[in-house]
Amino acid sequence: MSMTTALAAQIRRESLFGWRRAPACASSKCTRDQSLWNRFFAHITTIEFRRSTFCFPSCFERELQRELERLSVTNSANSRRTRRIPLGLLMLSRGAVTNDQLWRALDEQKQTGYGRIGECLTRLGFAQEADITAALALQWSCPLLRKLPTLFDSCGIPMQVLRSLRMFPIHLSRPRSTVHVAFADEIAYAALVSLEQMLNLKTEACLTTPRELNSALDALKESGEQKEKVFRNLRHPEEIVPIVSGYAGKLHASEVRTVVCGSQYWVRVFGDSGPFDLIFTMRKTGFEEIQTAV
């Protein structure tokens, strides 16, 4: 029998029985009958997750639980701050502020117990917003954009993720499969890695002023309805599993992806009507709240 004849026969069989052969489940704990007969004739729902196929819902939920736990540990390790030249010392070395101005800003920061040194310098009138952004660009060794383009492509990044991480996609180069992302404070490199994994794109970072970033985020919010749902103050990643599974079943999902962006989990469900984003923020512990304020 020729290959063409065999393919035509397979298509007739799939048309006759109404479904295609179910792929083998990647879970080592799967209890489903993996025989060829059962994979052809049993009506089995599967979902692609982490580039593998899993039975839905049992095997998928088990694998999702494992992945969320792994991401939780990885995120804790990546939360350690990168050591760089302090912004105040950098501005002092460039002559942007005087020694007395820097010490006054550091004293105010210590007394108030919050705020970045750049914010203190600006609030005291010792530096302009543009001066702080220029120093930050030098600190992070990345390009500086004082003005963002008026035309932009959100690249499908949820609004909740953009606002919480203070970033904005300013340009998508489809030939290079690269998205350029602007920040106004420090650059969240771990989040950029998550974007690459979720979107299958490369990322390049730059810096802009807080005013420009806020204007771009407001314009994006007004541009249209976002297909996303935010769940706040969850206590443990295991609470995410039944919610994702419920949406996956409701949307007839063919694939699910999940990454960590900052302090939140971003899950994308690919359903019949396109991708739908689920964002989960975890409740902070006392120690994490202290770390955030520092």
Side-chain angles (χ1 to χ4, degrees):
M1 180 184 297
S2 67
M3 183 179 296
T4 304
T5 305
L7 180 60
Q10 180 179 341
I11 293 175
R12 286 196 298 271
R13 288 195 299 270
E14 292 171 352
S15 177
L16 176 62
F17 291 104
W19 54 77
R20 296 180 181 272
R21 181 181 64 177
C25 180
S27 175
S28 59
K29 296 183 179 180
C30 181
T31 58
R32 188 185 90 193
D33 182 1
Q34 299 287 346
S35 67
L36 184 61
W37 177 269
N38 191 62
R39 287 165 59 190
F40 256 116
F41 299 108
H43 189 67
I44 299 169
T45 303
T46 60
I47 284 184
E48 183 179 343
F49 182 63
R50 298 183 66 239
R51 299 185 178 180
S52 298
T53 302
F54 297 91
C55 298
F56 181 81
S58 56
C59 294
F60 165 73
E61 291 180 352
R62 185 165 53 245
E63 189 65 20
L64 176 60
Q65 173 77 35
R66 290 179 55 191
E67 178 66 4
L68 292 173
E69 292 173 353
R70 185 190 69 81
L71 289 174
S72 177
V73 174
T74 303
N75 189 47
S76 298
N78 291 338
S79 63
R80 302 186 184 95
R81 296 183 178 180
T82 304
R83 294 288 182 179
R84 294 180 178 271
I85 300 175
L87 181 66
L89 291 180
L90 186 59
M91 295 187 68
L92 180 64
S93 68
R94 301 180 67 212
V97 296
T98 65
N99 188 62
D100 181 62
Q101 290 173 336
L102 178 58
W103 277 108
R104 286 183 60 185
L106 289 170
D107 185 58
E108 176 175 300
Q109 186 185 44
K110 181 179 180 180
Q111 289 183 7
T112 58
Y114 69 92
R116 301 175 184 272
I117 187 64
E119 295 172 350
C120 294
L121 287 169
T122 304
R123 189 162 53 248
L124 291 172
F126 298 151
Q128 300 297 318
E129 183 181 76
D131 300 326
I132 301 298
T133 304
L136 283 169
L138 184 62
Q139 185 187 42
W140 290 93
S141 302
C142 68
L144 169 63
L145 289 180
R146 299 184 184 276
K147 190 72 175 178
L148 294 184
T150 55
L151 297 177
F152 49 80
D153 187 336
S154 68
C155 305
I157 306 173
M159 177 62 67
Q160 171 66 24
V161 172
L162 295 176
R163 284 194 172 278
S164 63
L165 293 175
R166 300 281 298 153
M167 64 183 186
F168 190 83
I170 59 172
H171 177 66
L172 173 61
S173 174
R174 298 191 184 279
R176 296 178 54 201
S177 297
T178 301
V179 57
H180 298 259
V181 183
F183 293 83
D185 300 306
E186 65 181 51
I187 297 174
Y189 283 108
L192 291 179
V193 173
S194 296
L195 289 183
E196 292 180 348
Q197 294 172 347
M198 179 65 79
L199 304 175
N200 291 327
L201 295 171
K202 293 180 292 184
T203 59
E204 292 188 9
C206 64
L207 275 168
T208 189
T209 63
R211 184 178 292 105
E212 281 293 306
L213 183 70
N214 291 335
S215 297
L217 289 172
D218 291 340
L220 180 60
K221 183 178 181 180
E222 295 173 358
S223 65
E225 182 180 354
Q226 305 294 314
K227 296 178 65 175
E228 62 187 78
K229 177 71 175 178
V230 182
F231 299 85
R232 305 182 188 277
N233 296 324
L234 276 70
R235 295 180 178 272
H236 194 276
E238 67 182 14
E239 300 176 55
I240 298 175
V241 176
I243 299 175
V244 173
S245 183
Y247 272 88
K250 179 181 178 181
L251 300 174
H252 304 101
S254 59
E255 182 185 359
V256 170
R257 298 179 191 174
T258 180
V259 294
V260 169
C261 284
S263 60
Q264 55 201 358
Y265 294 86
W266 172 15
V267 179
R268 173 160 287 183
V269 180
F270 294 84
D272 291 341
S273 58
F276 189 87
D277 294 312
L278 306 172
I279 314 298
F280 302 90
T281 64
M282 310 306 293
R283 180 173 299 180
K284 293 182 179 180
T285 64
F287 175 75
E288 289 173 331
E289 290 174 347
I290 294 173
Q291 290 292 97
T292 302
V294 173

